[in-house]
Amino acid sequence: MEYRTPIAKARGLGSAKTGTVHWWMQRVTAVALIPLSLWWLAFIGQLLRSPHAQTVEWLSEPLNGVLMVAWIIAVFYHAGLGLQVVIEDYVHTEWLKIVSVWVVKLAFFLLALAAVLAIFAIRGMV
């Protein structure tokens, strides 16, 4: 017979402070990506059918530029959250887990930054 309380059993198993926020952010970005990805597919269709100048003009429109930046941010953030969960679940060496999560976050941040700067360059803002 065990006399330990549930809190005593849970002690030492890690923090439960950010798990809910992480879970919700994955769901929020997934829902945001539904309409943004439909728009992105329309952009890819435009890209495949049009010459370069027309594609740049289409992307230079304010709404299209904003939607592309929103899509880039949502995609990279959502992917980073997903890879973090995979790393936390399947990498068992603690230092390697921490380093891997930081490398993924840094890489996705830099990729998103490069993509957003490319959109600004297309729009003539850089």
Side-chain angles (χ1 to χ4, degrees):
M1 179 177 250
E2 183 149 341
Y3 296 106
R4 291 177 17 172
T5 63
I7 189 74
K9 291 178 189 175
R11 285 212 167 112
L13 296 179
S15 174
K17 294 178 183 157
T18 61
T20 304
V21 173
H22 188 108
W23 186 88
W24 270 109
M25 289 311 296
Q26 257 190 317
R27 277 33 181 202
V28 167
T29 55
V31 169
L33 280 169
I34 293 169
L36 286 171
S37 292
L38 292 173
W39 171 87
W40 184 80
L41 288 172
F43 169 70
I44 294 300
Q46 171 77 14
L47 183 69
L48 294 174
R49 290 190 313 268
S50 303
H52 180 265
Q54 189 177 0
T55 301
V56 169
E57 180 183 325
W58 192 79
L59 195 54
S60 293
E61 294 176 14
L63 179 62
N64 291 329
V66 168
L67 289 175
M68 182 59 85
V69 169
W71 182 82
I72 289 167
I73 291 169
V75 155
F76 281 107
Y77 187 65
H78 183 78
L81 290 173
L83 274 179
Q84 181 180 344
V85 170
V86 170
I87 291 167
E88 289 171 350
D89 287 348
Y90 293 105
V91 177
H92 301 294
T93 307
E94 196 62 31
W95 71 268
L96 185 57
K97 183 186 303 187
I98 292 168
V99 169
S100 299
V101 167
W102 276 101
V103 166
V104 165
K105 286 183 177 186
L106 180 63
F108 280 167
F109 173 77
L110 292 174
L111 288 169
L113 181 63
V116 168
L117 288 175
I119 298 300
F120 287 163
I122 288 172
R123 300 198 55 191
M125 298 173 70
V126 175

